[in-house]
Amino acid sequence: MEKHIGEQTVRFANPPTITATAAIVGPKEGEGPLAQYFDVVSQDALFGTDSWEKAESELSRQTIILAVQKANLQLGDIQYILAGDLLNQETGTTFGVRDLGRPFFGLFGACSAIGEAMTLGAMIIDGGFANNIVASASSHFCAAEKTFRFPLELGTQRPPTASWTVTGDGAVVLSAQGAGPYVTTATTGAVVDLGVKDSNNMGAAMAPAAADVLIKHFQDLGIQPDYYDVIATGDLGAVGRDLLLQLMDKAGYNLHHNHKDCGLMIFDREKQDVHAGGSGCGCSAATFAGYFYRQLLRGEINKMLLVPTGALHSVVTVQQGESIPAIAHAVAFERAMSHNER
Amino acid sequence: MATQSDKKQYDEMVKAASPASTVGVNCIKAFLVGGSICAIGQVFYNMFHNRGFAKEDAGLMVAGILIVTAIILTVLGLYNKLGKHAGAGSVVPITGFANAIAAPAIEYKKEGLVLGVGAKMFVIAGPVIVYGAMASVVVGLIYYFVK
């Protein structure tokens, strides 16, 4: 069976099942609208450690272990861990998995990490190279501020287009056998850059990448946006969502009815003072692992497309006046397989 | 590959979609907070001066009080909350400079006293010192020749 379809899409011959997910978040996310869907809301932003970097690693470690436990598996049953984060050299993830003793692929796609991890994980399983993998992505507000912006105690103002990095991790166990929900197709995005230079407006930088991968996904599979109950982008925020809908309208695809953005769901923008919305690897990862997975299990939604979005800049590239390249990956989930596909 | 005209067109879309900062309200807040900080300084100045301290000494004491207060507020996590509303009003006075030095000192404590606190302390205030010193040299030279 031909698995690669069209320009950038794959359809899995034996779609991997999501066996379990885990989502752990920080205190602020625990005050947001999705609080009840997370497995653990830590009241300690340091997660029992003494630095923000160690906190993110601990968050990553705990979430991966919890996901494996919820899948009724042992760590030894996991053939690969695929995970990523935002810190330099991905130490948030690597220090988190260093005591787990499992084969590990560290992935960088900025905030698109969970899409990249699930795509590659599903390929590994469908290729017959593993029975169980864990895909995970984490971010921590304080560690991200320190890496990309200013010290926390500095008295500065954020513009209305800025986003708030989510403190959270979402981990997903994918298995070869199981009763669904299934990972059915995936479209891998190309790096897209429409010249946005403002690192305080990442939604604007990322919207063209999301539009690009969505258009490729619909074209490659010959479907329309209404094929899905929900199309959820990662962390475009209010500005990015507005721009995405405009770009899709221009391309002739109407996303107005079923588009959601994890960055607009995880926080209450009015009450929680997050400006354009939530962002970070943990934003789409925790929202999918916590909220959307439960929606799929309960049958509230049957088909969804998750499109985590990432801004691929660094502090140095921004200081050198470069524009911000972005990427997005589309991963499709279906609650049950239709007969002709199974 | 995006062309220049694609980028230009998208730039227009981004400008239209991005909400602007509320400049009017921000200016009023900055004026009130910045003015208040200066007024507090003036109150202390008058107090010291009336009690017989020389002008220079009174000024130095006021600067000391404002700096220490700003650092205490920074440590308590209050100065960033003030700064969020006051903007330039809490950045421009000497308290803002104290905040800009104290905040990275706290943030980089974990990286040690030399490469963390010591090296990073001036990461934000450093440029102000560099260009402030340069500007004072230029102004001094002009003053020397014009006088």
Side-chain angles (χ1 to χ4, degrees):
Chain A
M1 183 178 175
E2 186 62 62
K3 294 184 187 176
H4 197 280
I5 295 167
E7 275 189 62
Q8 291 172 214
T9 303
V10 293
R11 175 179 276 136
F12 300 108
N14 294 301
T17 288
I18 302 178
T19 324
T21 64
I24 301 181
V25 298
K28 190 181 178 86
E29 292 68 24
E31 291 166 5
L34 300 183
Q36 57 172 309
Y37 299 100
F38 301 124
D39 296 288
V40 180
V41 174
S42 172
Q43 291 311 318
D44 174 17
L46 279 166
F47 289 84
T49 69
D50 61 4
S51 80
W52 304 126
E53 291 77 10
K54 288 178 195 169
E56 181 164 345
S57 298
E58 179 60 16
L59 166 67
S60 173
R61 189 184 75 84
Q62 287 181 11
T63 314
I64 291 170
I65 289 174
L66 181 61
V68 174
Q69 281 172 355
K70 285 179 74 184
N72 288 321
L73 295 169
Q74 305 293 319
L75 266 176
D77 299 323
I78 303 298
Q79 277 114 356
Y80 294 101
I81 294 172
L82 299 96
D85 67 275
L86 286 172
L87 302 186
N88 295 338
Q89 283 76 45
E90 290 216 322
T91 50
T93 305
T94 50
F95 282 59
V97 301
R98 69 176 161 184
D99 294 328
L100 301 184
R102 300 312 301 155
F104 167 70
F105 287 117
L107 308 177
F108 187 79
C111 311
S112 73
I114 194 66
E116 188 177 357
M118 285 199 281
T119 300
L120 292 170
M123 285 176 176
I124 288 172
I125 289 179
D126 191 31
F129 299 105
N131 288 320
N132 303 293
I133 67 101
V134 176
S136 170
S138 63
S139 54
H140 193 297
F141 173 78
C142 303
E145 288 297 304
K146 191 172 165 183
T147 303
F148 290 96
R149 286 170 283 271
F150 295 117
L152 294 176
E153 288 82 5
L154 189 72
T156 53
Q157 285 181 320
R158 297 160 171 272
T161 52
S163 54
W164 188 279
T165 307
V166 165
T167 299
D169 188 307
V172 178
V173 179
L174 297 181
S175 304
Q177 312 291 328
Y182 302 96
V183 185
T184 51
T185 61
T187 305
T188 300
V191 176
V192 175
D193 187 342
L194 277 188
V196 174
K197 290 187 173 179
D198 184 359
S199 62
N200 274 314
N201 196 353
M202 289 192 289
M206 297 188 294
D212 188 66
V213 81
L214 280 167
I215 293 165
K216 293 280 163 38
H217 182 80
F218 298 140
Q219 284 175 348
D220 287 349
L221 293 171
I223 56 176
Q224 288 294 316
D226 61 9
Y227 179 83
Y228 296 105
D229 299 322
V230 173
I231 295 171
T233 46
D235 54 356
L236 294 181
V239 178
R241 172 187 148 87
D242 187 7
L243 289 164
L244 172 70
L245 294 182
Q246 286 183 45
L247 290 168
M248 294 306 286
D249 281 340
K250 272 191 186 176
Y253 293 101
N254 183 352
L255 252 60
H256 291 259
H257 306 297
N258 56 355
H259 175 260
K260 285 184 183 289
D261 184 71
C262 300
L264 293 172
M265 298 170 67
I266 198 162
F267 293 124
D268 183 329
R269 284 175 65 220
E270 301 299 318
K271 290 184 192 151
Q272 295 190 283
D273 192 30
V274 294
H275 295 223
S279 64
C281 302
C283 182
S284 51
T287 303
F288 176 77
Y291 177 73
F292 284 119
Y293 174 63
R294 281 172 176 76
Q295 295 281 96
L296 281 163
L297 274 186
R298 289 179 194 158
E300 308 269 336
I301 52 176
N302 290 308
K303 294 175 180 177
M304 81 164 284
L305 190 65
L306 182 70
V307 189
T309 40
L312 304 173
H313 64 296
S314 75
V315 174
V316 173
T317 63
V318 170
Q319 285 173 350
Q320 292 184 354
E322 289 259 23
S323 55
I324 300 171
I327 194 161
H329 301 298
V331 188
F333 305 92
E334 298 195 16
R335 183 166 174 253
M337 298 302 303
S338 48
H339 291 291
N340 56 354
E341 288 176 85
R342 229 10 213 176
Chain B
M1 183 66 195
T3 63
Q4 280 307 317
S5 95
D6 288 341
K7 289 185 180 179
K8 208 175 159 210
Q9 205 181 5
Y10 187 63
D11 187 48
E12 300 291 322
M13 285 171 66
V14 171
K15 278 180 188 150
S18 305
S21 296
T22 46
V23 177
V25 178
N26 286 351
C27 284
I28 294 169
K29 284 182 179 173
F31 176 78
L32 291 176
V33 175
S36 301
I37 293 171
C38 297
I40 292 167
Q42 189 65 41
V43 168
F44 279 108
Y45 177 85
N46 289 356
M47 213 168 74
F48 293 131
H49 194 46
N50 291 343
R51 299 205 173 170
F53 287 100
K55 274 185 180 180
E56 290 76 14
D57 293 340
L60 282 173
M61 286 160 76
V62 169
I65 287 171
L66 290 178
I67 288 170
V68 170
T69 308
I71 290 172
I72 291 170
L73 290 176
T74 302
V75 172
L76 294 175
L78 296 175
Y79 204 87
N80 56 341
K81 291 189 176 134
L82 177 70
K84 184 186 153 40
H85 295 286
S90 61
V91 171
V92 174
I94 198 165
T95 50
F97 194 79
N99 170 249
I101 289 177
I106 298 167
E107 187 84 314
Y108 291 96
K109 210 177 93 194
K110 281 283 147 213
E111 285 75 26
L113 284 176
V114 176
L115 295 177
V117 175
K120 300 283 190 181
M121 198 182 254
F122 291 93
V123 77
I124 294 157
V128 181
I129 297 172
V130 170
Y131 293 109
M134 276 170 64
S136 67
V137 170
V138 173
V139 171
L141 283 172
I142 294 170
Y143 182 72
Y144 177 78
F145 287 113
V146 170
K147 194 183 166 194

